[in-house]
């Protein structure tokens, strides 16, 4: 079956702009998690959605937001972009994200903020 | 604050050599996972360890979970160029959340 897909794969924006990233989970998966990966901080958890509801949230400012649609596809939005938002944004899907559910990661969206 | 510390951050070895990388924490995790990430791709799950003291083998890779469930190690025997990648450990804690370490970058030179 098809894996997790993320669009776009690469994005260049300037400070102050906003951006929307998209994630399509594996068919049948209802949980989608988002992570930010940078060389300095590694992978940091942004938020997790399950059945259109945000279940968990990491320690990121309110400029970072997300949503999930009824077909489990998810989007994340970053407003008023800062240079420090340059990172690889990864989404991961799992059946339920309970206990040892395996998370399957997409290839990520590489965001560069100039 | 990083919950999981991985060491060494970078390791370069010759093909055929053995290597061990570590994942340490002061926190207890209900389970710990190891992923490998290659350039341009997302992390791929290699193994999940659940029981303190547990050892799991995946071909030439051996994973061990510490008795107190706070640390783990990954040992690769007779490393091959295909083992090159960023190895990430992640601990499952509280409310089904995963905390990742910064990773061990392994380069195997042919």
């Amino acid at each position: 079956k098809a894996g997790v897909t993320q669009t776009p794969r690469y994005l260049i924006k300037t400070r102050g702009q906003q951006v929307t990233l998209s994630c399509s989970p594996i068919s049948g998966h209802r949980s989608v998690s988002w992570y930010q990966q940078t060389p300095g901080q590694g992978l940091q958890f942004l938020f997790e959605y399950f059945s259109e509801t945000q279940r968990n949230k990491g320690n990121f400012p309110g400029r970072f937001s997300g949503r999930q649609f009824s077909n489990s596809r998810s989007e994340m939005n970053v407003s008023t972009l800062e240079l420090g938002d340059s990172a690889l944004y990864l989404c991961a899907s799992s059946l339920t994200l309970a206990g040892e559910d395996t998370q399957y990661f997409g290839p990520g969206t590489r965001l560069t903020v100039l | 604050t990083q919950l999981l510390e991985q060491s060494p951050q970078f390791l370069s070895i010759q093909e055929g050599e053995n290597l061990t990388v570590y994942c340490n924490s002061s926190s207890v995790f209900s389970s710990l996972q190891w992923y490998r990430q290659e350039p341009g791709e997302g992390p791929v799950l290699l193994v999940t360890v659940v029981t303190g003291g547990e050892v799991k083998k995946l071909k030439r890779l051996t994973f061990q979970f510490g008795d107190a469930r706070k640390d783990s190690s990954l040992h690769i025997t007779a490393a091959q160029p295909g083992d090159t990648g960023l190895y990430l450990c992640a601990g499952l804690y509280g409310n089904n959340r995963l905390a990742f370490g910064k990773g061990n970058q392994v380069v195997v030179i042919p």
Side-chain angles (χ1 to χ4, degrees):
Chain A
K1 56 185 174 183
V4 177
T5 57
Q6 292 187 245
T7 56
R9 292 292 309 276
Y10 303 92
L11 205 49
I12 299 175
K13 292 284 188 179
T14 56
R15 279 180 299 173
Q17 288 187 309
Q18 67 133 23
V19 67
T20 299
L21 312 181
S22 180
C23 172
S24 292
I26 291 172
S27 178
H29 285 193
R30 297 168 64 188
S31 169
V32 174
S33 298
W34 287 90
Y35 296 85
Q36 181 196 65
Q37 186 176 29
T38 60
Q41 298 298 320
L43 261 145
Q44 294 192 293
F45 174 76
L46 280 156
F47 28 66
E48 183 240 346
Y49 286 87
F50 180 81
S51 293
E52 301 179 67
T53 301
Q54 186 180 87
R55 269 199 315 198
N56 282 303
K57 189 175 188 305
N59 296 325
F60 278 80
R63 300 185 295 108
F64 292 81
S65 63
R67 58 178 177 168
Q68 185 180 34
F69 302 94
S70 58
N71 62 358
S72 293
R73 189 177 70 86
S74 178
E75 289 181 346
M76 67 162 281
N77 185 277
V78 187
S79 62
T80 319
L81 284 166
E82 300 176 1
L83 295 179
D85 296 332
S86 294
L88 181 67
Y89 290 88
L90 292 159
C91 89
S93 77
S94 62
L95 277 172
T96 62
L97 194 57
E100 293 178 42
D101 257 7
T102 297
Q103 289 196 53
Y104 296 87
F105 283 84
T109 295
R110 172 74 63 183
L111 172 65
T112 301
V113 182
L114 303 175
Chain B
T1 303
Q2 207 75 25
L3 282 178
L4 290 159
E5 298 288 339
Q6 292 189 245
S7 61
Q9 283 188 311
F10 182 83
L11 185 59
S12 176
I13 61 170
Q14 293 292 132
E15 182 177 357
E17 293 182 338
N18 302 333
L19 69 97
T20 302
V21 294
Y22 302 91
C23 172
N24 296 298
S25 176
S26 57
S27 303
V28 175
F29 295 98
S30 56
S31 70
L32 201 140
Q33 302 174 353
W34 282 93
Y35 293 78
R36 180 168 65 212
Q37 184 177 21
E38 298 183 21
E41 300 180 10
V44 174
L45 180 67
L46 296 173
V47 76
T48 300
V49 285
V50 180
T51 307
E54 182 177 4
V55 176
K56 280 192 174 179
K57 292 193 174 183
L58 185 66
K59 296 183 181 178
R60 294 174 294 98
L61 277 60
T62 302
F63 304 85
Q64 183 160 8
F65 201 12
D67 291 340
R69 289 187 290 132
K70 292 183 179 181
D71 52 78
S72 181
S73 64
L74 159 58
H75 180 81
I76 301 179
T77 303
Q80 299 178 1
D83 296 324
T84 293
L86 180 67
Y87 289 85
L88 294 159
C89 68
L92 187 67
Y93 72 103
N95 206 16
N96 292 321
R97 291 177 62 164
L98 272 179
F100 281 84
K102 293 185 183 181
N104 309 102
Q105 180 63 56
V106 171
V107 175
V108 182
I109 302 167

